[in-house]
């Protein structure tokens, strides 16, 4: 029986150019983004300009993490203590955590079998909750019908802040993910699409919201040093009443990230090849449902999900054990207790208890797998063969 020996959490190395830029920053020692000599432009400011150009945004701000980006963006559009904020019932812990960090309350929206936010439930809760903001998580890279989502939110007067931790480089109908809402937030944490260990980016075309975000991020009164920020006039009134909540990105991380931006298109293509190899190898396996990818979605396949609809928990557990024995590391969103990075809305007990029966049914059979670019296309075909065999074995023994 073949066994897969790859490491599911091993990302590619930092490009040599990034290593050299990082070493240069350490040699001169000016790691803080506002520590520049005359005529020098900070790496952080250069990164902001380059990322804004990449996604076609007017403004960009680099910050300390993806979680910080979401909290900062929500605060910049007016979320405050006691507010209710709509968000996905199916997402990861930093999303409700960002809402909670503002003293606001998440109102969770159901997920569909295609792993996108349930737009009917969203429309109902946009009307009933009193929320003025949706923190939309493009969880695991699955992008919903963004045209319909924006119609629903615009009609209800709900502002959209996008969590693009899994969709940097993705598009809906040719528009970059993160460019539909008022602000788009990205993570540059090691497991995402560009890697600086930790880090985050915010983009927007809204001058007032971005000026607030820059001030919030801890710009002191040095906002004029942000080349991808709104002009100084935009800060004139805001600077008096916007608190400094330090969460800046430093020049070392920015130096590591800049050479990764031009690689994004190639990374997307390589991720897609791997994703498609897995998908092809699993097609038609009895007992298993693959997630359809809509025609208008240009996705980055940095992870892979599949559904085991109606499977008993012990049958799912059996599959996880069999796959693990053959070197294939699966995560399950249906487990009773949160494990490692995988947790569920009902384990975020700081939020008011909510009932999401459709989400419960989907998560009960949801299997998740990372797909690092260090895997070859042949590795992905091998993983698919192993999974196909083990799913079939458990299915034939009776999984329902
Ligand atoms: C990783 C992640 C974030 C941002 O996380 P940070 O670790 O704070 O950079 C946000 N949303 C989702 C869904 C994530 O997986």
């Amino acid at each position: 029986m073949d066994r897969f020996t790859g490491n599911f959490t091993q990302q590619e190395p930092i490009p040599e150019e990034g290593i050299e830029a990082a070493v240069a920053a350490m040699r001169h020692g000016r790691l803080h983004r506002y520590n520049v000599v005359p005529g020098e432009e900070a790496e952080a400011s250069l990164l902001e300009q380059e990322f804004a150009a990449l996604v076609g945004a007017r403004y960009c701000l680099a910050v300390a993490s993806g979680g910080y980006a979401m909290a900062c963006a929500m605060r910049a559009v007016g979320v405050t203590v006691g507010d209710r904020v709509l968000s996905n019932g199916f997402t990861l812990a930093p999303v409700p955590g960002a809402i909670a960090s503002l003293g606001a309350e998440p109102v969770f929206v159901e997920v569909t079998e295609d792993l996108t936010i349930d737009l009917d439930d969203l429309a109902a809760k946009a009307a009933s909750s009193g929320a003025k903001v949706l923190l939309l998580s493009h969880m695991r890279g699955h992008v919903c019908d963004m045209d319909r989502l924006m119609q629903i939110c615009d009609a209800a007067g709900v502002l959209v802040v996008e969590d693009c931790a899994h969709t940097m480089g993705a598009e809906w109908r040719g528009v970059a993910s993160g460019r539909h809402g008022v602000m788009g937030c990205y993570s540059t944490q090691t497991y995402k699409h560009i890697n600086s260990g930790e880090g985050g980016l915010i983009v927007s075309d809204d001058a007032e919201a971005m000026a607030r975000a820059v001030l919030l991020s801890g710009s002191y009164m040095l906002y004029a040093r942000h080349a991808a920020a709104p002009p100084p006039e935009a800060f004139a009134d805001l600077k008096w009443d916007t608190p400094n909540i330090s969460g800046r990105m430093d020049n070392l991380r920015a130096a590591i990230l800049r050479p990764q931006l031009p690689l994004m298109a190639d990374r997307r293509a390589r991720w897609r090849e791997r994703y498609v190899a897995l998908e092809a190898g699993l097609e038609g396996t009895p007992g298993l449902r693959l997630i359809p990818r809509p025609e208008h979605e240009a996705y980055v396949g940095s992870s892979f999900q599949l559904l085991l609809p109606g499977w008993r928990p012990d049958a799912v557990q059996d599959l996880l054990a069999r796959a693990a024995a053959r070197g294939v590391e699966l995560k399950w969103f249906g487990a009773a207790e949160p494990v490692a990075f995988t947790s569920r809305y009902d384990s975020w007990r700081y939020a008011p208890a909510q009932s999401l029966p459709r989400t419960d049914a989907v998560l009960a059979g949801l299997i998740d797998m990372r797909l690092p670019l260090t895997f070859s296309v042949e590795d992905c075909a091998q993983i698919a063969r192993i999974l196909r065999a083990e799913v079939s074995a458990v299915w034939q023994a009776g999984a329902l």
Side-chain angles (χ1 to χ4, degrees), residues 3 26 95 117 141 155 202 210 224 274 296 311 329 332 350 359 393 400:
R3 191 174 187 287
M26 288 188 282
V95 179
I117 193 164
I202 307 175
M210 189 51 94
R274 284 151 182 77
H296 297 305
W311 283 40
E329 223 180 277
W332 178 36
Y350 49 82
T359 300
L400 300 182

Side-chain angles (χ1 to χ4, degrees), residues 115-361:
L115 303 189
T116 53
I117 193 164
D118 182 324
L119 295 176
D120 296 327
D121 193 42
L122 173 65
K125 286 175 178 161
S128 67
S129 65
K132 288 278 158 267
V133 171
L134 163 67
L135 178 58
L136 173 66
S137 184
H138 301 295
M139 177 61 174
R140 286 299 184 248
H142 297 275
V143 182
C144 72
D145 179 342
M146 286 304 294
D147 305 309
R148 195 172 154 225
L149 178 131
M150 290 310 300
Q151 270 168 18
I152 291 168
C153 291
D154 288 346
V158 168
L159 292 173
V160 178
V161 172
E162 294 179 72
D163 163 26
C164 305
H166 306 160
T167 54
M168 183 188 286
E171 295 167 9
W172 177 261
R173 251 186 231 281
V175 176
S177 185
R179 299 292 297 124
H180 292 86
V182 60
M183 296 194 122
C185 305
Y186 307 80
S187 169
T188 66
Q189 193 231 78
T190 296
Y191 301 116
K192 316 296 164 123
H193 299 173
I194 56 175
N195 175 11
S196 58
E198 303 284 357
L201 293 157
I202 307 175
V203 298
S204 184
D205 285 350
D206 185 311
E208 186 180 329
M210 189 51 94
R212 260 208 197 91
V214 170
L215 292 164
L216 286 166
S217 76
S219 64
Y220 302 98
M221 291 299 153
L222 298 169
Y223 43 78
R225 297 207 192 151
H226 290 242
E233 310 83 85
F235 294 81
D237 295 333
L238 302 177
K239 66 183 180 191
W240 305 102
D241 56 15
T242 306
N244 180 321
I245 306 173
S246 289
R248 295 168 301 272
M249 183 181 282
D250 56 275
N251 287 332
L252 186 57
R253 285 186 173 82
I256 291 170
L257 291 171
R258 287 182 59 215
Q260 295 181 56
L261 297 184
L263 305 179
M264 197 56 239
D266 179 59
R267 284 183 183 177
R268 181 172 89 183
R270 286 159 63 222
W271 256 310
R272 183 74 79 97
E273 278 183 290
R274 284 151 182 77
Y275 186 98
V276 166
L278 252 169
E279 200 176 38
L282 288 170
E283 199 89 59
T285 309
L288 173 159
R289 181 179 183 271
L290 295 175
I291 312 299
R293 307 297 314 224
E295 173 196 351
H296 297 305
E297 178 201 35
Y299 60 92
V300 180
S302 54
S303 67
F304 194 90
Q305 291 71 43
L306 49 91
L307 286 178
L308 303 170
W311 283 40
R312 289 190 324 273
D314 64 296
V316 177
Q317 221 110 44
D318 187 21
L319 173 68
L320 298 188
R322 284 161 165 273
R326 296 183 67 182
V328 175
E329 223 180 277
L330 303 176
K331 313 279 183 227
W332 178 36
F333 276 93
E337 297 278 328
V339 180
F341 287 97
T342 309
S343 62
R344 221 168 40 196
Y345 75 92
D346 55 348
S347 34
W348 306 323
R349 294 190 191 159
Y350 49 82
Q354 295 166 59
S355 158
L356 301 176
R358 295 190 56 194
T359 300
D360 294 340

Side-chain angles (χ1 to χ4, degrees), residues 362-386:
V362 171
L363 298 189
L366 179 58
I367 300 295
D368 179 39
M369 187 172 36
R370 288 184 202 277
L371 217 51
L373 281 177
T374 51
F375 288 3
S376 67
V377 175
E378 175 44 37
D379 287 341
C380 295
Q382 186 193 4
I383 293 168
R385 284 196 299 276
I386 291 171

